Amino acid sequence: MDEKIFEIRAKEVTVEVTDIATGKVHRRTLPMDYFENANGLVLRGENLDGSVSQLVFYSSRGMQRMKDLTGGGPDEDPCGTHK
């Protein structure tokens, strides 16, 4: 069954890192919101003072859409169907 996935959401994130000095792998599960779609992903959590903080990572597709929305894209339509 090939179900199409358009977005991924989670209330916690597991981070795995390999320490460059020792080669040891460390894994932590962190309480933060995770949201991903074709345009990129967003990580949202709290700062040390309890206020909301977020990181946004755009995909290539997301960056192109941001350029188009802000007028930084080409002055032509990419599919050639608009006049």
Side-chain angles (χ1 to χ4, degrees):
M1 186 163 126
D2 286 336
E3 181 182 338
K4 290 189 177 186
I5 298 173
F6 294 101
E7 63 183 38
I8 302 168
R9 293 177 181 266
K11 290 292 185 183
E12 64 181 23
V13 175
T14 301
V15 178
E16 182 177 288
V17 297
T18 303
D19 182 61
I20 60 174
T22 65
K24 284 183 155 184
V25 176
H26 301 274
R27 179 179 287 154
R28 305 284 185 264
T29 299
L30 307 169
M32 67 174 65
D33 294 332
Y34 178 95
F35 175 77
E36 179 181 356
N37 65 18
N39 296 318
L41 67 91
V42 178
L43 299 173
R44 183 176 295 125
E46 290 184 356
N47 283 327
L48 290 174
D49 65 2
S51 63
V52 176
S53 182
Q54 71 179 13
L55 294 171
V56 178
F57 300 91
Y58 290 104
S59 64
S60 295
R61 175 182 174 182
M63 285 300 295
Q64 186 58 48
R65 287 183 172 199
M66 286 297 292
K67 285 181 186 176
D68 291 344
L69 286 171
T70 59
D75 288 335
E76 59 188 50
D77 84 89
C79 60
T81 59
H82 303 276
K83 296 198 185 238

